[in-house]
Amino acid sequence: MTLQTDNNNQELGNHNKNYLLSNPWKPCRRPRAIVKEWLLRLRLCLGTVCGMEWYGYAVLGILTAILSFLMDLSVTKLLTAHQWLYMKLEGNILLQFFCWTLYPACLCCFAASFSHNICSFSTGSGIPEVRTMLAGIEMPHYLSLTNMFTKFLALICTLAAGSTAFLGKVGPFVHLSTMLGAYLSKLCTLLQANKMEKVDDEMLVVAAAVGVASCFGAPISGVLFSVEVMSSHFALRHYCPCFFSAACGALTFRLLSVWSGDGETLQALFKTNFPTAVPFYPLEILLFAFLGLLCGAVSCCYLFCHRLILRFTKTNTVFIKMLTSEKGLYSGMVVFFLASLTFPYSAGQFMASKYTMKQLLTSLLDNGQWNSQFRNASVQAEPSLAWSSSGIPVYLSLTFFLLMKMWMLVLACTLPLPAGYFMPVFVYGAAIGRLLGEGVVYVSSAEGTSGQQWASINPGGYALAGAAAFSGAVTHTLSPALLAVELTGQFSHAVPILLATLLANALARSGHRPSFYDALSISKRLPHLPSLRKANPRLPSTAVGQVLGVKSVQLQKAAGPAEVQHAVNSSTDTQIPVVESHESQVLLGFVLRPELLMFLHHCKAESLEKHLDEVCCIHPTSVLLSPHNTIQEAVSVLTLVGAQTLFVADRGRLLGLITWPEVMSVCMS
């Protein structure tokens, strides 16, 4: 067997070599033949280890991590240039004001104009579009190479605006990873053209998880975030590829950080020094539970304001005109206004405006007690200086930060440029937790609690729990709890973080309010499948037979050219069901529309009257639904199988079919 395989490989290599040498117009004929021969041997060797798609998953993780690292490096250089220019103008407040405001305004103006003129599909988060594609709806223009280049460059400009615009990169980077996965899936399909299975849909699901993992170097929470946000139903076959590719991406991202000099070894992105002996007292669990409820209540207010501003931009004539034809001007004006408020010599001195997004989160996660009246110089936390530089108490600065950033973030969400919204709400939640933690320290010190117990209260733990709870409540997910642990490496606070996130989610989901990404999908009028229970509490348990409409076009096994032509003209479905006869209605399978067109062309060319089963291949149906199955079961099967159409039959007799558009129309009605 081995000898026969070697002979086949040698004949294949000789065939390619002779083919190259027989074309005299191609330069470097012999080197090209040698290279192709070695590439064919390498492909055969790699194929014996595992399928080619697994190499595609590894390459996807590595390339996505490289893109993330290059983006972070570029943003760091631009932010450093802005800070350097601002410091050089020290002494002239007017010039510093123009430097502080015009720099981010010009960057965001360029990002909006560039996105609008090069590829208008590159604006926004990208997660609603990815969710739509993973639901089985084709949107090829959102995966184009032009869109990928435009979104990458414009996102760098958006992030370089710093904490002035207060926007992140998670959503757009998930979209970028999905674009990269789409091209790698095509490459894998070409490399394994002799196989029947396709990796297109699976590669897109994997890419969505890798995008989050490569942003934070957190593979586990990246996969869970993809499960919760991207797909309403996640197939078990996707778990291993997702974790494998996410691990490759996270490892590459961490290694690139080490090689660039940002760290000495592989470590958490936001390293903290929480006490491990007594991280929190048992009674503090009640405070973490209260923090979860508080974050849930604030998230409801934030989501209400977000839906309100989205509705306003879709109905107000001035906003419609600006967001349609003057996107660059609108972005520049909004960012200039926000930068004016965050100027360090104005209201910015009360919001730690000189800090970047990463520095804000690092300072909020500090384990020092900023309000401690009895701390000595050795435990004083330096990051708190930016929050108390104005001379007012820290808790007043945090309160002012929360009040201002609430509406500023809602306003920034209207900017027509590539931007992520997860990291801003994560930082906002950390500020909520920090305020509560500092309040607990202040009350404990005022009541004269025993020194050892009071000294062990860690406001940074409350900030970490608040970040996970608020971001989880806004997105209606639980994965931020694990993300908070992976980002900081603080497993000691895993239980209170999870408790706060659960309670925040419970409060945010009450009343069947849409999540942040659901609101974006509704605003953009993207075809999406909302929660069945939110659409109608009785809908999930409704039988499929009650929503079946007019029976679909069908063909009998012995159909002739006339019947096939009628079916092709009266139906646009890609799968036409085939029955034994119109009287029996016994379902045999389906035939593809391109095969029917070839059948008609064959009959016209040869002027013969042939039957359908003599020319076309009748494909068997792998999954059949019963009219007694529920809508919830039909949606689960459609998502897990990745099909566009499912046939409904009763005791083998065809009753109709269920498609994604029909399911979405039922949910919307």
Side-chain angles (χ1 to χ4, degrees):
M1 185 66 181
T2 306
L3 181 61
Q4 183 178 0
T5 304
D6 294 340
N7 292 335
N8 293 336
N9 296 343
Q10 185 176 3
E11 292 177 1
L12 182 61
N14 293 335
H15 170 72
N16 287 281
K17 184 189 301 183
N18 294 334
Y19 175 75
L20 287 173
L21 293 174
S22 62
N23 289 272
W25 61 272
K26 290 186 176 181
C28 306
R29 290 173 292 164
R30 186 174 298 276
R32 285 168 56 87
I34 295 174
V35 170
K36 187 160 187 177
E37 180 182 359
W38 279 102
L39 288 177
L40 291 172
R41 291 183 179 181
L42 178 62
R43 173 186 167 185
L44 293 173
C45 293
L46 294 177
T48 57
V49 178
C50 61
M52 294 303 299
E53 65 271 12
W54 287 94
Y55 297 101
Y57 299 145
V59 172
L60 174 62
I62 294 172
L63 291 181
T64 306
I66 293 175
L67 283 180
S68 179
F69 176 77
L70 292 177
M71 181 177 293
D72 290 345
L73 185 63
S74 303
V75 171
T76 302
K77 297 295 184 183
L78 291 174
L79 289 174
T80 304
H82 185 206
Q83 293 175 357
W84 174 84
L85 182 60
Y86 179 81
M87 295 302 296
K88 285 294 183 181
L89 297 174
E90 189 173 0
N92 193 324
I93 297 180
L94 182 61
L95 291 180
Q96 282 189 313
F97 172 79
F98 285 118
C99 173
W100 182 269
T101 55
L102 292 180
Y103 189 89
C106 292
L107 285 174
C108 291
C109 180
F110 170 78
S113 301
F114 185 75
S115 301
H116 175 66
N117 294 324
I118 303 300
C119 184
S120 59
F121 305 115
S122 61
T123 59
S125 169
I127 285 185
E129 291 81 4
V130 175
R131 294 173 65 190
T132 303
M133 288 182 282
L134 293 182
I137 299 172
E138 295 183 359
M139 302 174 67
H141 43 278
Y142 280 95
L143 298 175
S144 63
L145 190 61
T146 305
N147 192 2
M148 182 177 179
F149 168 75
T150 306
K151 194 146 198 167
F152 181 79
L153 185 58
L155 181 58
I156 291 177
C157 297
T158 302
L159 297 177
S163 59
T164 297
F166 205 58
L167 296 171
K169 78 168 187 175
V170 176
F173 201 81
V174 170
H175 195 183
L176 286 172
S177 177
T178 308
M179 298 178 202
L180 189 60
Y183 283 95
L184 286 177
S185 67
K186 295 179 182 178
L187 179 61
C188 292
T189 303
L190 292 175
L191 292 177
Q192 54 176 8
N194 57 333
K195 295 185 179 181
M196 294 300 296
E197 66 241 20
K198 296 181 180 180
V199 297
D200 296 7
D201 297 335
E202 190 166 342
M203 188 69 80
L204 293 182
V205 175
V206 173
V210 174
V212 181
S214 299
C215 283
F216 302 115
I220 302 177
S221 54
V223 175
L224 293 182
F225 187 80
S226 175
V227 171
E228 292 184 295
V229 175
M230 305 301 169
S231 304
S232 57
H233 298 278
F234 204 83
L236 290 177
R237 68 178 185 274
H238 294 156
Y239 272 105
C240 284
C242 280
F243 278 111
F244 173 71
S245 186
C248 293
L251 179 61
T252 305
F253 183 77
R254 299 279 185 87
L255 287 175
L256 290 173
S257 299
V258 173
W259 293 336
S260 65
D262 291 341
E264 297 179 357
T265 184
L266 302 181
Q267 58 185 5
L269 187 61
F270 296 93
K271 189 176 181 180
T272 54
N273 297 313
F274 291 177
T276 57
V278 184
F280 57 89
Y281 280 89
L283 289 179
E284 288 187 72
I285 290 292
L286 299 178
L287 294 175
F288 282 106
F290 173 75
L291 175 61
L293 295 176
L294 178 62
C295 289
V298 178
S299 70
C300 292
C301 178
Y302 170 73
L303 291 176
F304 173 77
C305 295
H306 178 249
R307 294 193 299 269
L308 195 64
I309 194 67
L310 288 179
R311 192 180 304 115
F312 181 74
T313 55
K314 297 296 182 181
T315 55
N316 186 269
T317 55
V318 177
F319 270 86
I320 292 175
K321 183 178 180 180
M322 292 286 290
L323 293 174
T324 302
S325 58
E326 303 292 342
K327 293 184 178 181
L329 178 61
Y330 174 78
S331 300
M333 291 172 56
V334 171
V335 175
F336 182 85
F337 172 67
L338 296 177
S340 301
L341 295 176
T342 60
F343 183 55
Y345 288 98
S346 61
Q349 60 183 319
F350 308 111
M351 297 186 292
S353 59
K354 289 186 178 181
Y355 277 168
T356 63
M357 295 280 286
K358 185 175 182 179
Q359 290 172 336
L360 278 174
L361 185 57
T362 303
S363 66
L364 292 170
L365 296 180
D366 176 50
N367 63 324
Q369 299 173 353
W370 298 349
N371 266 328
S372 173
Q373 298 177 0
F374 305 101
R375 66 184 179 197
N376 52 37
S378 62
V379 297
Q380 185 173 357
E382 184 178 351
S384 66
L385 298 177
W387 295 94
S388 59
S389 59
S390 58
I392 65 174
V394 174
Y395 59 86
L396 291 181
S397 295
L398 289 170
T399 304
F400 185 76
F401 175 86
L402 293 173
L403 293 176
M404 293 293 290
K405 286 297 183 181
M406 168 67 77
W407 66 267
M408 291 173 69
L409 179 57
V410 171
L411 181 61
C413 290
T414 63
L415 294 175
L417 41 75
Y421 310 109
F422 179 82
M423 196 61 182
V425 297
F426 195 83
V427 175
Y428 192 90
I432 297 176
R434 186 78 200 193
L435 179 60
L436 179 62
E438 293 294 339
V440 172
V441 172
Y442 180 80
V443 172
S444 300
S445 62
E447 292 181 355
T449 315
S450 59
Q452 183 179 0
Q453 181 175 355
W454 171 77
S456 64
I457 295 179
N458 179 16
Y462 290 88
L464 189 59
F470 185 76
S471 57
V474 169
T475 57
H476 288 186
T477 58
L478 297 177
S479 54
L482 182 58
L483 177 62
V485 174
E486 282 192 284
L487 282 179
T488 59
Q490 293 297 334
F491 288 91
S492 60
H493 283 73
V495 173
I497 289 173
L498 182 59
L499 175 64
T501 308
L502 285 170
L503 292 176
N505 263 270
L507 189 57
R509 292 170 182 262
S510 62
H512 305 297
R513 303 180 185 90
S515 67
F516 182 85
Y517 295 118
D518 287 337
L520 287 179
S521 297
I522 295 172
S523 175
K524 294 183 177 182
R525 298 181 180 179
L526 290 173
H528 74 290
L529 184 64
S531 172
L532 299 180
R533 194 167 299 277
K534 290 180 181 179
N536 188 345
R538 298 182 180 179
L539 187 60
S541 58
T542 303
V544 171
Q546 298 181 15
V547 299
L548 283 178
V550 182
K551 185 176 291 187
S552 60
V553 176
Q554 55 186 265
L555 292 169
Q556 57 182 353
K557 181 177 65 173
E563 185 178 349
V564 172
Q565 184 67 53
H566 175 72
V568 170
N569 295 336
S570 56
S571 175
T572 58
D573 297 334
T574 57
Q575 299 177 0
I576 308 295
V578 179
V579 296
E580 181 71 29
S581 63
H582 291 308
E583 292 76 17
S584 66
Q585 290 292 305
V586 176
L587 180 64
L588 300 179
F590 64 90
V591 64
L592 299 176
R593 185 181 183 87
E595 296 179 359
L596 294 179
L597 297 177
M598 292 179 61
F599 169 77
L600 294 175
H601 179 74
H602 182 74
C603 293
K604 291 180 180 180
E606 298 185 3
S607 301
L608 296 176
E609 288 287 337
K610 290 191 175 183
H611 298 298
L612 179 67
D613 57 344
E614 296 176 354
V615 178
C616 296
C617 175
I618 301 177
H619 304 277
T621 55
S622 57
V623 179
L624 275 178
L625 288 179
S626 167
H628 306 293
N629 286 119
T630 63
I631 297 293
Q632 183 67 60
E633 293 171 343
V635 171
S636 301
V637 173
L638 278 169
T639 308
L640 293 175
V641 176
Q644 294 287 330
T645 304
L646 287 178
F647 297 106
V648 182
D650 185 18
R651 298 179 182 179
R653 295 169 57 88
L654 179 66
L655 298 180
L657 52 86
I658 288 290
T659 62
W660 271 118
E662 290 180 354
V663 173
M664 286 186 290
S665 63
V666 170
C667 294
M668 296 298 183
S669 61

